[in-house]
Amino acid sequence: MAKARKQKPEGGPGGGATVLHQKLCLSIDMENQLIYGYTEIKVLLAENDTFALHADSMTIRNILVDGEAAEFEYSPHWKNVDGQPSWLSVSCLKTAADAACSAYVSSLTSESVPNLIISSERSVKSTTELPEGENGEKHEENGGNSVQLSDDKAVKTCNGSAEGNDKEEGRETKKEDEKENRNEEKTEMEIETEEKEREKEKDKETEEGKEENEDEKEKEDANENEKDKENEMQIENEKVKNTKLVRVDYILEKAETGVHFVNNVLHSNSQIRRAHCWFPCIDSAIERCPFDLEFTVSTDLVAVSNGDLLYQVLSKEDPPRKTYVYKLNTPVSAQWISLVVGPFEILPDKNGISVSHMCLSPTLSKLENTISFFHDAYSCYEDYLAAPFPFGLYKQIFLPSEMVVSPTSFGASTCIFSVDILNDEKVIDQIIGTRIKLAYALARQWFGIYTSAEEPNDEWLLDGLAGFLTDLFIKRYLGNNEARYRRFKANCTVCQFDVSGATGLGSPAASTDLYGTQTIGSYGKIRSLKAVAVLQTLEKQMGPDSFRKILQMIVASTRASRTLSAKEFRHLANKIGNLERPFLKEFFPRWIESCGCPIMRLGISYSKRRNMVELAVSRGCTAKADPDSDSHADGDIQEGANGWPGMMSVRVHETDGVYDHPILPMAGEALQVVELQCHSKVAAKRFQKTKKGSKPDGSDDNVDASTQENRTSMDAPLLWIRVDPEMEYLAEIHFHQPIQMWINQLEKDKDVVSQSQAIAVLEKLPQLSFAVINALNNFLNDTKAFWRVRVEAAYALAVTASEDTDLAGLLHLVKFYKSRRFDADIGLPRPNDFHDIPEYFVLEAIPHAVALVRSSDKSSPRQAIEFILQLLKYNDNNGNVYSDVYWLAAMVQAIGEVEFGQQGIGLLSSLLKRIDRLLQFDNFMPGYNGVLTVSCIRALARIAERVSSSICLDRICELITPFRNMDKPWKVRIEASRVLLDLELHHKGLDAALLLFLKYADEEKTLRGGTKLAVHVLRICQANIDSSRTDQIKLQTLLALLHLLGSKKSYNNVLLRHNVFCILQIAAGRPPTLYGVPKFAAPSPLVQEISIDQHTKADSSVPQLSRPQEPSTSTPSVREVLPTTVPSKDADNISNCSERRNVVKIRVRRAASSSKADGAASSSKADGADQRDHSHGGRNENEVGPCSSMSVDAPMVGAPNEPLNTSNHIEEQNSCHDRESRMSASVSNAKLMDTHEISKELQCTADSRIDAVDSRLDAVKDQFSPVINVQDGVDKPGSQLEGVSTSYAGTQAPESVNGLDSKEKKRKDKKDKKRNRDEKRDKKDDPEYLEKKRLKKEKKKMEKELARKQKEGDRLSSQQDIAKPSDSQGTFVATPPAPAQSAEPQVSNKDVAVETARTPPTKKIKIRFKPLKKIG
């Protein structure tokens, strides 16, 4: 029995009552679409005598409580649906969205409140005051009959009635009274004899006192135990007194929701809180109880329900009827009770497992082929969990697509599917998807139904565990490559769309407060994928064996509770998984209770001298700012206050082996440099002198950049590097390494995730080399590679094909296809042969990839169109054992992707003829599920949109409209409606498309069809809504959408109602969810702008998993890597708020004797250098000669949101390093531009020594620290910056700047001197070093000459001033000397900063810290 729960506050389900057991007895009349019968509920009442149930869309005949008539109040929700508000306040998109929020939340709130209030007071009074005869008469008056009375007797015998208990208690009391009277008579006669015996025993008592004391203690203990037992008995007696048996007789006529009649089939679909629409219950996920189910149907029908089928009873009626009796002992909530009635074909499993598969007769052959694998999944789960199937017999029912409400409907020990997932033995494409869907439905029986969530906030845990089991099945029976590839794509999808609080797993605002809508729509899919990823992270941390033990303990039959909470799972992870409490204390709040995924941007640099790889890391978060917070601007990306717990691993593939380095923490500073020791070494090479006319750094303008990068990578013992290779964490990783290393990763790494990452980077390179194209082509031709990654390589070749490469990608694709499918003798395609299934999938994707190739004028090359037309024309499937329906559909879809230019427009008529021929053929001989017709309709629509000037859209609409007739297959009808909506949008605009959708939604009879149309319109709105325009949708259209939202049609179809609500939110520029949206009050302008920005930057629909969006190129521009508006980041911690940032300016000031003109000249040089310094981590120009290090850029960190003055620049100069020990790990080059184009880069230069790395990191921290050496000082009036400066002369830096004491300085100076001596010895023969040394000597000589001239000028001017007579006031004026022209060579500002450490002590460096004032 279910554990009794404490009474909840007002408004809780059931009014504080707990359901202990429920029985459902129904009779189904298929001809009249009628359901009648009763339900009996055994409830434990709270202090009050009233309790409440959910009931709707039915007629209540009478209600009995313990066999007596009871008063009740019934207010069905569906009767109040027609009374919609007038929507007078709606005047624009914003007010329409507010009205939709108000109406939707009001409906959800009212539906969650019980509406059948039952009072048991009258029944108590009637049993004490009225005789039994009168009670029986009243029962008959309330609609009871003889059959119902017999049913009442049966219920009393099974569960115990109140009357029977009262009679038995009365008999027991009489017997006890008689015994007490006899005992009293005996005691009077024995009083005298007992007194004599007591006197004799007084002497004995004194002797045995000690023994009696011990006996008394034992008796006291026994008495205490007896008292405890008595208390327990009293509690049980009170429960028995508060337990009531409620019987509700009702009738359900022509039901429209909850249960559905279609032809001769009835099936239930509870959706969200729709179970009470076909039987009274407490429709809440937290109320669970066992069920007894009895259904009476015609003898030619089969009734399938939950639990074990106990027996079948054949009645003696005319015509005879059959009763199916089921019993479900496991407590479940009402939403998991299901019923299916129809003339099914039952197919028991042939492998001896307790599974039955059912379908209608036309699909029996498909069912036999589909379920051949099912015993593998069934045995896989039982073996992994070490527990049998929890419900005895598992039943799968497959119904036609037009009947079901959703593709999958779960129930306790049952599951209802659409026949769309059944695959024929001749069809290849559906096999993988069908097996995964059936395996997931079976996993939900263990996690989600048998073990349910304790609270709505814990539903993510059960959903994630079911997905985890499904991934286990995929890995065992579909291959490790398939499992890893799917998990990688799922993680990419989560990182892309986990940007708001709506995807928080355990947050009450994202689960409980959303009334169950968090499980539907695109956000529901993201939550499911994220839940699986989080649980897999925990499994990696604790180990697979410990995680398996936890799951076995959860589903064990000996476990007391059948519910699971995140708190209990956290305890198990600590106790069994051996995870430390501090880790769990950080893990659960960060991953479960909040939103967002970590962003790791990394760049590498190799130091040949130290044989070290230095990794520059920039940390961020995908989560956007909370719209309710005033401290965030639009589109901000915030960071977690504490980051994410855990340590990420870096795998370095070297020439001598593979080495893992688990040294990259997930949490920490926003900017960090990590060192990795290399184990392999590269032999020294002779230095080659620079050629005449080449640059000082050894590069050449005529040499390709990729060639230089490849040459540089040859000097390192690194093949390629991977971050988090085992996908231990859910993170968005942007890694940057040379192109040759990406090519090595693609060609040599056997991991499918590694290969996919390499392809994603190579196809996005701004400048493509033939080495990249050849690498992609070689991988496409590799038959040992995983077929999904080979398909990605084919698409990458199509993307990289351009005029610059002479369409090399297109030529490779055509050559690959012809080598596999063409006859070399005649030059035509051979007949189809699909025995090699991986090769079939790769070849099937080639036509679509060819159609994506574009020439310089953005049109498809003529040879690409001719190739697709040739494939369609000569397709021959004779002799092939497999169907080519999906093969042909892929070719037709490729035609829809073609862009017709001047060269290809002549082939349009031939393509249209081929499509028309396929349409007629599929109409005359209907193919498999209408797949070919659907693809032809879609291709016609896309061609019409692209060449609308050559084709009349009205003619295309007339051609497609007949496919909406009811005699067409359901899939074809829905696709025709979608296509017509697209054409209406292209021809007349968004408002006309919405009006057409309202028309189609009203005409569509199936619930699933209405849902699919609404989802399609939602995507149309997401792609075409312009937030700057308010006239895209007219007021009449908005009012019509609001009426549809509150109509009875939407009440019957929960998914349709939710999507209509999302359409209205998207139209107003808001996210399509209830989370974070104002429900009753209009939002402030700031909130509205934030919502619009969130919509425009993140599409809520889940992308296709076939096309990856993964790491960026090795040397991307800032705008390619990051969005244009991202917050500035503190170097010390990860901040969630936008605060005032400090601006650091480093200036080089001349000596006091230098002139103003000279200072102006130097400042102009600095400005010019700053304008030129826009490279992303290129070679340092101040170092002459070749360098053995290689530098790879990481993208920028972010840019501040406040508008900045264009004159404020941030610079950070590199320190002076020798050419053999220099390593520059560029995180980004810092630069601030105007308010319309703000970007920021920071270059973090790491020295070859550890202490130099730490000192430069401290300098980076100081640059972004809000308070460092603050002194009182104010700039000129009108300036927005406060100048605070500290100065030091020569190389003597204050301790507050470098943080070193005198001992450390001396030690460092000694190391520097020793290093300089060694380097000078090595550089004696280096011409570049000698040239640099000569320039330095000339520079020093010029400086000395300039200083000497200035001193002479000062001396002469002073003598002239002394000799000059004073004026009448006795004052004199000292005139400065004329500025002398410096003859020193022109050097950049970077050179000046680098040489600062070696300049004479007369020079001073002044550092200004100017914090930015808060504007507004």
Side-chain angles (χ1 to χ4, degrees):
M1 296 177 66
K3 185 179 179 180
R5 295 181 177 273
K6 296 182 180 179
Q7 183 176 357
K8 296 187 177 182
E10 295 181 2
T18 302
V19 179
L20 304 179
H21 185 273
Q22 185 165 358
K23 181 180 180 180
L24 186 61
C25 299
L26 297 178
S27 295
I28 294 97
D29 186 355
M30 300 294 293
E31 295 181 0
N32 300 318
Q33 296 186 0
L34 182 66
I35 299 176
Y36 57 92
Y38 67 92
T39 180
E40 289 180 346
I41 306 175
K42 188 177 182 181
V43 296
L44 178 63
L45 298 181
E47 296 178 357
N48 53 358
D49 292 329
T50 61
F51 61 97
L53 299 175
H54 295 85
D56 217 340
S57 303
M58 62 186 66
T59 303
I60 305 297
R61 300 173 61 185
N62 64 347
I63 296 178
L64 303 177
V65 178
D66 288 340
E68 300 295 331
E71 295 180 352
F72 63 91
E73 296 180 4
Y74 176 47
S75 56
H77 298 295
W78 60 274
K79 289 186 177 180
N80 301 326
V81 171
D82 296 332
Q84 299 182 12
S86 58
W87 314 113
L88 296 176
S89 61
V90 176
S91 59
C92 61
L93 295 174
K94 177 178 174 297
T95 55
D98 293 338
C101 273
S102 177
Y104 193 31
V105 173
S106 176
S107 299
L108 292 172
T109 305
S110 62
E111 291 170 9
S112 62
V113 177
N115 58 338
L116 178 58
I117 312 300
I118 303 173
S119 175
S120 61
E121 293 180 356
R122 182 176 178 182
S123 63
V124 174
K125 293 181 180 178
S126 61
T127 55
T128 56
E129 298 176 359
L130 300 176
E132 295 180 359
E134 295 179 2
N135 291 337
E137 292 174 359
K138 288 197 173 184
H139 171 70
E140 292 177 358
E141 290 175 0
N142 289 329
N145 50 34
S146 58
V147 177
Q148 292 171 345
L149 289 175
S150 62
D151 292 333
D152 288 339
K153 293 180 181 178
V155 173
K156 290 176 183 177
T157 57
C158 295
N159 301 321
S161 63
E163 294 179 358
N165 292 334
D166 293 339
K167 293 179 180 179
E168 290 178 359
E169 290 177 359
R171 295 174 182 174
E172 291 177 358
T173 53
K174 290 180 179 180
K175 293 180 181 179
E176 291 177 356
D177 292 340
E178 294 176 356
K179 290 181 180 179
E180 290 178 357
N181 294 331
R182 294 175 182 175
N183 292 332
E184 289 177 358
E185 294 177 357
K186 291 180 180 180
T187 53
E188 290 176 357
M189 298 292 294
E190 295 175 353
I191 290 174
E192 296 178 358
T193 56
E194 288 179 357
E195 289 178 355
K196 294 178 180 180
E197 291 177 355
R198 288 176 182 175
E199 291 177 356
K200 295 179 181 179
E201 293 177 353
K202 284 182 181 181
D203 298 334
K204 296 180 181 181
E205 289 178 356
T206 56
E207 296 177 356
E208 299 175 355
K210 296 180 180 181
E211 296 178 358
E212 289 180 356
N213 292 331
E214 295 177 358
D215 295 337
E216 288 177 357
K217 291 180 180 180
E218 294 178 357
K219 290 180 180 180
E220 288 177 359
D221 295 336
N223 292 332
E224 290 179 358
N225 295 331
E226 291 179 358
K227 290 180 180 179
D228 293 337
K229 293 181 180 179
E230 290 178 357
N231 293 332
E232 293 178 358
M233 293 295 293
Q234 289 178 0
I235 294 173
E236 292 180 359
N237 292 333
E238 290 178 358
K239 289 183 179 180
V240 171
K241 293 180 180 179
N242 293 331
T243 301
K244 303 292 182 181
L245 187 64
V246 182
R247 169 171 171 151
V248 181
D249 292 288
Y250 68 98
I251 185 171
L252 192 62
E253 298 180 280
K254 296 183 179 180
E256 296 180 351
T257 184
V259 289
H260 309 275
F261 289 89
V262 182
N263 299 329
N264 59 344
V265 176
L266 175 145
H267 71 95
S268 64
N269 190 299
S270 299
Q271 301 185 61
I272 299 179
R273 284 185 298 275
R274 289 297 180 269
H276 67 276
C277 292
W278 68 285
F279 68 96
C281 60
I282 298 182
D283 200 355
S284 174
I286 62 176
E287 288 293 338
R288 310 167 191 87
C289 68
F291 280 84
D292 288 339
L293 306 168
E294 297 182 8
F295 302 104
T296 303
V297 298
S298 301
T299 54
D300 57 340
L301 301 177
V302 179
V304 184
S305 190
N306 314 97
D308 296 326
L309 178 63
L310 299 182
Y311 52 86
Q312 304 175 29
V313 179
L314 187 64
S315 68
K316 297 180 180 179
E317 301 177 4
D318 189 20
R321 294 169 65 83
K322 185 183 293 185
T323 301
Y324 292 82
V325 181
Y326 292 89
K327 187 175 184 60
L328 182 62
N329 294 321
T330 304
V332 297
S333 57
Q335 62 178 333
W336 304 125
I337 300 302
S338 57
L339 171 64
V340 185
V341 179
F344 297 119
E345 297 287 343
I346 303 176
L347 188 64
D349 197 273
K350 299 178 180 179
N351 295 278
I353 57 178
S354 300
V355 179
S356 294
H357 314 276
M358 308 175 194
C359 67
L360 299 179
S361 300
T363 56
L364 183 60
S365 60
K366 292 182 181 179
L367 178 62
E368 292 177 351
N369 180 72
T370 302
I371 64 172
S372 59
F373 84 99
F374 196 76
H375 70 282
D376 294 333
Y378 193 91
S379 59
C380 174
Y381 294 164
E382 286 191 336
D383 176 65
Y384 183 80
L385 298 174
F389 184 73
F391 295 108
L393 179 65
Y394 180 57
K395 301 166 283 292
Q396 293 185 130
I397 305 98
F398 299 87
L399 299 179
S401 303
E402 60 271 14
M403 293 185 183
V404 297
V405 179
S406 57
T408 305
S409 178
F410 302 108
S413 75
T414 61
C415 194
I416 304 172
F417 297 96
S418 169
V419 295
D420 291 339
I421 68 172
L422 296 178
N423 63 282
D424 192 85
E425 60 181 354
K426 296 183 178 181
V427 177
I428 301 175
D429 298 68
Q430 276 189 295
I431 296 176
I432 296 177
T434 295
R435 294 187 176 185
I436 292 175
K437 291 176 182 177
L438 295 179
Y440 175 75
L442 180 61
R444 287 287 291 180
Q445 297 295 319
W446 271 282
F447 298 105
I449 301 177
Y450 178 66
T451 304
S452 56
E454 184 173 323
E455 296 292 339
N457 294 347
D458 304 321
E459 291 179 355
W460 69 269
L461 180 56
L462 281 307
D463 192 11
L465 290 175
F468 180 86
L469 269 188
T470 307
D471 282 358
L472 176 68
F473 163 76
I474 295 174
K475 183 177 181 180
R476 286 192 181 182
Y477 292 97
L478 297 180
N480 186 48
N481 288 340
E482 182 74 20
R484 283 185 59 82
Y485 185 86
R486 283 181 171 271
R487 178 48 40 202
F488 170 65
K489 292 303 177 183
N491 290 354
C492 294
T493 303
V494 173
C495 292
Q496 183 179 1
F497 292 97
D498 187 12
V499 296
S500 68
T503 54
L505 297 178
S507 172
S511 53
T512 306
D513 298 346
L514 300 188
Y515 305 95
T517 59
Q518 74 274 5
T519 60
I520 58 179
S522 57
Y523 283 105
K525 296 177 182 178
I526 297 298
R527 286 169 56 91
S528 298
L529 296 176
K530 183 179 179 180
V532 180
V534 170
L535 291 176
Q536 288 185 342
T537 300
L538 281 176
E539 187 217 14
K540 297 285 185 182
Q541 295 296 320
M542 70 177 67
D545 294 335
S546 299
F547 195 83
R548 181 180 181 181
K549 289 180 182 178
I550 292 176
L551 266 60
Q552 291 175 354
M553 181 175 291
I554 292 173
V555 300
S557 58
T558 57
R559 187 165 172 260
S561 176
R562 292 265 56 88
T563 61
L564 180 65
S565 65
K567 184 177 181 180
E568 182 182 357
F569 189 81
R570 177 176 173 179
H571 174 72
L572 293 174
N574 172 249
K575 183 178 179 181
I576 301 176
N578 296 324
L579 294 181
E580 298 179 356
R581 290 186 178 181
F583 173 81
L584 295 173
K585 190 176 181 181
E586 295 179 7
F587 185 90
F588 273 77
R590 195 62 190 87
W591 282 109
I592 285 93
E593 299 175 7
S594 61
C595 63
C597 300
I599 300 178
M600 307 288 286
R601 305 181 187 276
L602 307 101
I604 65 167
S605 181
Y606 173 71
S607 175
K608 182 177 179 181
R609 179 175 174 273
R610 302 169 57 219
N611 198 26
M612 298 279 290
V613 175
E614 299 193 9
L615 194 67
V617 185
S618 171
R619 296 180 176 87
C621 178
T622 61
K624 291 188 176 181
D626 188 2
D628 298 332
S629 177
D630 297 334
S631 62
H632 300 290
D634 298 353
D636 283 357
I637 298 179
Q638 63 181 358
E639 301 171 352
N642 299 320
W644 286 263
M647 188 72 68
M648 189 175 285
S649 178
V650 179
R651 180 172 295 173
V652 181
H653 292 258
E654 302 180 18
T655 55
D656 293 346
V658 182
Y659 303 93
D660 286 342
H661 303 269
I663 60 173
L664 185 59
M666 297 286 291
E669 300 176 354
L671 304 173
Q672 185 180 1
V673 174
V674 180
E675 293 186 343
L676 308 176
Q677 180 65 51
C678 290
H679 298 77
S680 306
K681 293 184 179 180
V682 178
K685 296 182 180 180
R686 293 185 60 186
F687 175 78
Q688 297 179 357
K689 295 184 179 181
T690 57
K691 297 181 181 179
K692 188 176 181 180
S694 62
K695 291 185 178 181
D697 60 352
S699 62
D700 194 354
D701 292 334
N702 298 326
V703 180
D704 190 6
S706 61
T707 305
Q708 295 186 25
E709 197 171 37
N710 296 342
R711 182 189 63 189
T712 306
S713 63
M714 297 285 289
D715 298 334
L718 305 176
L719 298 178
W720 69 93
I721 297 177
R722 293 189 61 195
V723 180
D724 192 21
E726 300 300 329
M727 291 190 297
E728 296 181 6
Y729 297 96
L730 176 62
E732 181 179 339
I733 300 174
H734 299 271
F735 185 61
H736 306 274
Q737 60 184 353
I739 298 176
Q740 184 58 40
M741 296 179 71
W742 285 115
I743 295 176
N744 293 340
Q745 181 173 328
L746 175 62
E747 294 177 344
K748 300 179 181 180
D749 202 328
K750 302 304 179 183
D751 184 17
V752 294
V753 175
S754 178
Q755 296 166 353
S756 180
Q757 289 174 342
I759 291 174
V761 171
L762 294 176
E763 72 175 352
K764 295 178 182 178
L765 291 176
Q767 295 181 355
L768 293 170
S769 63
F770 287 100
V772 174
I773 297 176
N774 291 334
L776 294 173
N777 181 48
N778 293 336
F779 188 84
L780 175 63
N781 286 271
D782 186 5
T783 57
K784 295 181 180 179
F786 185 48
W787 66 268
R788 290 190 185 273
V789 189
R790 293 176 64 193
V791 170
E792 287 190 2
Y795 283 110
L797 284 172
V799 172
T800 57
S802 62
E803 298 289 348
D804 298 336
T805 58
D806 298 330
L807 299 177
L810 174 61
L811 299 179
H812 285 309
L813 289 173
V814 175
K815 182 180 178 181
F816 169 76
Y817 191 93
K818 288 185 177 181
S819 65
R820 262 71 172 176
R821 296 283 301 112
F822 273 56
D823 191 339
D825 297 332
I826 61 177
L828 295 177
R830 295 192 298 265
N832 296 334
D833 186 6
F834 300 154
H835 283 92
D836 190 349
I837 293 181
E839 198 74 11
Y840 162 80
F841 284 119
V842 176
L843 292 172
E844 188 182 44
I846 297 299
H848 190 266
V850 169
L852 296 177
V853 177
R854 297 291 182 265
S855 57
S856 58
D857 59 349
K858 304 301 179 183
S859 62
S860 299
R862 182 180 179 86
Q863 52 185 331
I865 304 176
E866 291 177 346
F867 174 73
I868 298 174
L869 180 60
Q870 187 181 24
L871 297 183
L872 272 175
K873 184 177 181 180
Y874 294 102
N875 180 70
D876 183 9
N877 203 52
N878 292 327
N880 189 15
V881 296
Y882 294 103
S883 172
D884 66 342
V885 57
Y886 283 96
W887 181 268
L888 281 173
M891 295 181 186
V892 174
Q893 290 175 2
I895 298 176
E897 299 294 337
V898 171
E899 287 285 352
F900 294 94
Q902 294 181 355
Q903 298 180 354
I905 195 68
L907 301 174
L908 177 59
S909 59
S910 300
L911 291 173
L912 291 177
K913 289 180 182 178
R914 290 293 164 186
I915 294 176
D916 182 62
R917 180 175 298 179
L918 291 174
L919 271 176
Q920 293 180 5
F921 178 79
D922 201 50
N923 187 29
F924 178 72
M925 297 180 62
Y928 183 78
N929 289 347
V931 172
L932 188 57
T933 301
V934 166
S935 61
C936 291
I937 293 173
R938 175 57 59 184
L940 283 175
R942 293 188 175 181
I943 293 174
E945 293 174 0
R946 287 189 168 93
V947 292
S948 56
S949 58
S950 304
I951 298 179
C952 180
L953 292 179
D954 294 336
R955 180 70 184 91
I956 297 296
C957 293
E958 292 177 1
L959 179 65
I960 296 176
T961 301
F963 290 98
R964 294 192 65 250
N965 296 336
M966 296 302 296
D967 58 340
K968 300 295 181 182
W970 178 81
K971 271 191 172 182
V972 175
R973 288 193 290 109
I974 298 302
E975 186 62 27
S977 300
R978 288 173 171 176
V979 165
L980 292 174
L981 288 172
D982 292 340
L983 293 176
E984 191 76 6
L985 171 70
H986 181 78
H987 188 49
K988 298 181 181 179
L990 182 59
D991 185 76
L994 289 175
L995 289 175
L996 188 61
F997 159 69
L998 293 171
K999 176 185 176 184
Y1000 289 168
D1002 184 62
E1003 295 174 355
E1004 183 62 37
K1005 303 301 181 183
T1006 63
L1007 298 181
R1008 191 181 178 194
T1011 301
K1012 283 189 168 290
L1013 293 178
V1015 171
H1016 186 69
V1017 172
L1018 176 62
R1019 293 173 179 171
I1020 288 177
C1021 292
Q1022 288 175 334
N1024 296 276
I1025 285 291
D1026 186 0
S1027 58
S1028 61
R1029 293 182 56 187
T1030 58
D1031 58 344
Q1032 279 188 293
I1033 304 177
K1034 297 180 181 179
L1035 181 61
Q1036 292 79 3
T1037 307
L1038 295 175
L1039 294 176
L1041 288 172
L1042 287 172
H1043 281 290
L1044 177 60
L1045 177 66
S1047 65
K1048 181 69 177 297
K1049 190 178 189 68
S1050 293
Y1051 176 80
N1052 295 335
N1053 191 347
V1054 173
L1055 300 177
L1056 172 64
R1057 180 175 64 176
H1058 181 75
N1059 284 286
V1060 171
F1061 163 77
C1062 293
I1063 290 172
L1064 289 167
Q1065 299 305 308
I1066 291 293
R1070 299 175 182 174
T1073 176
L1074 278 175
Y1075 178 85
V1077 178
K1079 298 175 176 56
F1080 300 102
S1084 61
L1086 177 62
V1087 174
Q1088 184 181 5
E1089 292 176 3
I1090 292 175
S1091 300
I1092 293 175
D1093 184 72
Q1094 286 183 347
H1095 159 62
T1096 55
K1097 289 195 176 183
D1099 186 6
S1100 65
S1101 60
V1102 178
Q1104 298 295 329
L1105 299 182
S1106 60
R1107 302 298 298 135
Q1109 294 183 358
E1110 264 313 293
S1112 57
T1113 60
S1114 59
T1115 55
S1117 64
V1118 174
R1119 297 179 188 178
E1120 292 175 348
V1121 177
L1122 287 179
T1124 56
T1125 56
V1126 291
S1128 58
K1129 298 182 180 179
D1130 193 0
D1132 291 327
N1133 53 16
I1134 304 176
S1135 174
N1136 279 331
C1137 59
S1138 300
E1139 58 186 16
R1140 186 174 60 185
R1141 303 297 183 189
N1142 292 336
V1143 179
V1144 181
K1145 299 178 70 174
I1146 300 178
R1147 299 178 180 176
V1148 179
R1149 179 168 294 184
R1150 294 286 184 183
S1153 59
S1154 63
S1155 62
K1156 296 182 179 180
D1158 193 11
S1162 64
S1163 64
S1164 64
K1165 294 176 186 177
D1167 294 339
D1170 183 69
Q1171 293 176 2
R1172 292 191 302 270
D1173 190 17
H1174 286 174
S1175 64
H1176 293 197
R1179 294 181 59 84
N1180 196 350
E1181 296 177 359
N1182 62 351
E1183 294 185 4
V1184 182
C1187 179
S1188 63
S1189 66
M1190 62 179 178
S1191 174
V1192 184
D1193 293 345
M1196 71 173 189
V1197 177
N1201 293 322
E1202 297 88 1
L1204 300 176
N1205 195 343
T1206 56
S1207 63
N1208 300 331
H1209 297 281
I1210 296 178
E1211 298 179 5
E1212 180 180 350
Q1213 304 298 344
N1214 292 335
S1215 301
C1216 180
H1217 300 291
D1218 299 310
R1219 63 184 180 88
E1220 292 183 357
S1221 62
R1222 173 186 173 273
M1223 193 287 293
S1224 174
S1226 171
V1227 178
S1228 52
N1229 296 330
K1231 57 180 181 177
L1232 297 180
M1233 305 176 67
D1234 56 2
T1235 57
H1236 300 287
E1237 191 178 358
I1238 299 177
S1239 62
K1240 171 184 163 185
E1241 300 176 358
L1242 174 67
Q1243 180 165 348
C1244 175
T1245 304
D1247 191 70
S1248 61
R1249 289 168 285 111
I1250 303 296
D1251 50 356
V1253 173
D1254 296 337
S1255 64
R1256 259 171 297 283
L1257 286 176
D1258 293 337
V1260 175
K1261 296 179 184 178
D1262 296 340
Q1263 178 181 356
F1264 290 90
S1265 180
V1267 180
I1268 296 180
N1269 300 330
V1270 179
Q1271 300 177 1
D1272 296 333
V1274 182
D1275 280 349
K1276 294 185 284 186
S1279 175
Q1280 297 180 358
L1281 302 177
E1282 297 179 2
V1284 182
S1285 63
T1286 58
S1287 61
Y1288 58 94
T1291 58
Q1292 200 74 11
E1295 294 184 2
S1296 60
V1297 176
N1298 53 25
L1300 298 174
D1301 54 9
S1302 58
K1303 293 182 179 180
E1304 292 178 351
K1305 291 179 184 177
K1306 292 180 181 179
R1307 181 172 54 83
K1308 183 179 178 181
D1309 293 339
K1310 288 182 181 179
K1311 289 183 178 180
D1312 291 341
K1313 290 179 181 179
K1314 184 178 180 181
R1315 180 170 57 86
N1316 292 334
R1317 285 197 304 269
D1318 296 339
E1319 290 174 355
K1320 286 181 180 180
R1321 249 192 337 264
D1322 298 336
K1323 297 177 181 177
K1324 287 182 179 180
D1325 299 332
D1326 190 352
E1328 295 178 358
Y1329 173 75
L1330 296 176
E1331 180 66 18
K1332 181 179 178 181
K1333 188 175 182 180
R1334 185 184 64 80
L1335 291 175
K1336 288 181 181 179
K1337 288 181 179 180
E1338 291 182 359
K1339 179 180 177 181
K1340 289 181 180 180
K1341 186 175 180 181
M1342 292 297 179
E1343 289 176 352
K1344 290 180 180 179
E1345 185 68 21
L1346 177 62
R1348 185 179 60 80
K1349 291 181 180 180
Q1350 288 178 349
K1351 289 180 181 180
E1352 292 178 356
D1354 293 340
R1355 193 166 50 249
L1356 292 175
S1357 60
S1358 61
Q1359 293 176 0
Q1360 292 175 1
D1361 293 339
I1362 295 174
K1364 185 177 180 180
S1366 61
D1367 54 4
S1368 59
Q1369 297 179 357
T1371 61
F1372 64 92
V1373 178
T1375 59
Q1381 297 294 333
S1382 176
E1384 67 181 273
Q1386 300 291 331
V1387 295
S1388 64
N1389 188 30
K1390 186 180 295 186
D1391 294 332
V1392 175
V1394 170
E1395 298 298 332
T1396 302
R1398 302 184 182 181
T1399 51
T1402 55
K1403 290 199 173 188
K1404 295 183 179 181
I1405 296 178
K1406 191 170 184 178
I1407 303 177
R1408 290 181 177 270
F1409 297 85
K1410 296 188 176 183
L1412 184 64
K1413 286 185 177 181
K1414 189 173 182 180
I1415 298 176

